[in-house]
Amino acid sequence: MADQTVAALLAEVKRLADAVERLAGPAPAVNDWQAADCFVWAPHRLHLQPVKRPNRVELGLIRGVDHVRDILHENTLRFAEGFPANNVLLWGARGMGKSSLVKAVHADIVKTNGISLKLVEVHREDISTLPALLDIIKDAPHRIVVFCDDLSFDHDDTAYKSLKAALDGGVEGRPDNVLFYATSNRRHLLPRHMMENEQSTAINPSEAVEEKVSLSDRFGLWLGFHKCSQEDYLTMIDGYAAHFELPLPREQLHHEALEWATTRGGRSGRVAWQYIQDLAGRLRISTDRP
C-alpha cells in the first residue's frame, strides 16, 4: 500500500513538472555563427536559424540599378572592414531587385573579400523582438547586417517604436557590430492615407506626422528604385539568357520577353526573372541558384 502511495506521489510530481516545463516553453537554442553566413531570426526560441542555401542571384545578374548597387556595395564593404557606415532603406517600385540586391551584395563581399560578414533576416511580424535579438548579437565575434524585407506599418501598429530605438536610440544605442538594411515599397514606411489621417485629426498636425516620418529618417541612406525602361528590361533578359546559356535567337528572345511583360502588366526585374524561368523550363534547362 505504501509503495502504491509513493508511486502515485511520484507520478503526480512528474505530471506537475511536465506542466511547468510546458508553461516555460522551449529552452533557448544554442546559436552557432559558424553554421552559415545567413540566418533567420526565430524569436520564440531566441534562435538564429542557419540558412544553408540562401535564395539569391549573383550580383552581376542584377541590371538596371547600377548606381544604387554601387552605393550599397561600398557602404556594406566599409562596414564589413570595420569602418563607419549607414543604415540603409531601399524603397520604391516592386519587383526591381531591392531584396535581391541586399543578398547579392552580402554574398559578393563574403566571397570576393573573404570577410566574415553575417546576414540575419528578421520577419516583419517579429520587429517588436529586436531588443532580444540585439542582446544576443551585440557580443558576436562578427559584423552583422540585420535585414527586414518588405517593411511597412499599418494603422495602430506600434512595432515601429522598437525599430526606431534599435536604429538610433535608447541608452545603449545600436551595437557597433550591427547595421540595419530594410526594403519597402514606401519611402516613409507608412501608407499616404495614414499620414494624412494623422495630420488631419491631431491637435498639432506636424507633430503627429513627424513621429511617424522620423523612423525613415533614421536610415542614413535612402536608395530609390524606379520602374525600369524597356531597354533596362531587355538588358536584364539578355544577362539572364547569357548566364544560363539559353539557346534562343536574340530577336525571338526580346519578342517573347516583351510579350510576357505585357501580359504581366509592366516591366521589372521580377517579371524578367519569371520569363526566364518559363523559358528555361520550356527548354528543359536548370536555373538552380547558387
Side-chain angles (χ1 to χ4, degrees):
M1 186 70 176
D3 290 343
Q4 292 179 347
T5 301
V6 171
L9 286 173
L10 289 175
E12 182 64 15
V13 169
K14 184 177 185 305
R15 186 184 69 81
L16 291 173
D18 290 342
V20 170
E21 187 175 345
R22 286 194 299 270
L23 289 173
V30 176
N31 294 305
D32 181 10
W33 288 110
Q34 304 307 316
D37 289 323
C38 298
F39 300 82
V40 174
W41 169 234
H44 60 289
R45 297 181 57 218
L46 299 180
H47 182 46
L48 293 163
Q49 179 67 42
V51 180
K52 298 295 185 180
R53 294 191 62 193
N55 177 29
R56 60 192 178 196
V57 298
E58 293 184 13
L59 186 61
L61 290 177
I62 301 178
R63 308 292 181 88
V65 290
D66 296 4
H67 180 60
V68 293
R69 178 201 62 203
D70 293 345
I71 294 175
L72 184 67
H73 192 281
E74 170 63 18
N75 189 72
T76 309
L77 182 58
R78 287 203 313 262
F79 172 69
E81 292 175 340
F83 297 105
N86 276 302
N87 300 314
V88 182
L89 174 62
L90 299 90
W91 69 277
R94 67 184 189 276
M96 282 304 297
K98 297 184 290 294
S99 60
S100 295
L101 186 60
V102 171
K103 293 179 286 187
V105 163
H106 168 260
D108 183 76
I109 287 175
V110 171
K111 180 180 178 180
T112 305
N113 299 275
I115 298 176
S116 180
L117 177 66
K118 305 298 181 180
L119 183 69
V120 175
E121 182 174 8
V122 178
H123 294 143
R124 159 66 190 86
E125 58 271 20
D126 297 327
I127 286 294
S128 61
T129 67
L130 274 176
L133 173 60
L134 292 182
D135 193 52
I136 291 174
I137 65 179
K138 65 182 180 182
D139 295 322
H142 303 279
R143 297 219 145 217
I144 301 163
V145 174
V146 175
F147 170 53
C148 184
D149 190 24
D150 199 20
L151 181 62
S152 62
F153 299 96
D154 297 323
H155 187 57
D156 293 332
D157 189 343
T158 59
Y160 74 92
K161 294 182 179 179
S162 297
L163 180 56
K164 282 177 63 176
L167 285 170
D168 184 21
V171 175
E172 285 189 288
R174 174 169 54 87
D176 291 337
N177 67 325
V178 176
L179 207 60
F180 285 91
Y181 286 2
T183 70
S184 177
N185 293 334
R186 309 164 180 167
R187 185 173 60 175
H188 292 300
L189 306 177
L190 293 164
R192 181 176 296 276
H193 75 270
M194 280 181 58
M195 296 176 62
E196 291 172 349
N197 287 345
E198 292 278 0
Q199 192 169 18
S200 63
T201 59
I203 295 176
N204 190 325
S206 62
E207 289 183 0
V209 175
E210 283 294 324
E211 168 68 11
K212 305 284 185 171
V213 174
S214 63
L215 172 59
S216 54
D217 282 346
R218 301 197 180 201
F219 290 91
L221 282 176
W222 291 4
L223 301 181
F225 290 69
H226 307 285
K227 292 184 181 297
C228 65
S229 65
Q230 178 171 302
E231 181 182 357
D232 288 337
Y233 173 71
L234 293 177
T235 299
M236 297 173 190
I237 294 293
D238 289 338
Y240 282 131
H243 180 77
F244 296 116
E245 300 180 352
L246 303 180
L248 198 69
R250 192 164 184 265
E251 184 177 345
Q252 183 181 351
L253 179 71
H254 285 188
H255 175 76
E256 286 191 7
L258 291 173
E259 185 176 13
W260 181 274
T262 301
T263 63
R264 297 290 295 172
R267 299 180 297 265
S268 70
R270 181 178 296 136
V271 170
W273 173 250
Q274 290 167 344
Y275 166 70
I276 290 296
Q277 287 284 85
D278 180 77
L279 175 60
R282 286 187 277 125
L283 296 174
R284 300 300 190 268
I285 294 176
S286 174
T287 60
D288 285 345
R289 299 182 180 186

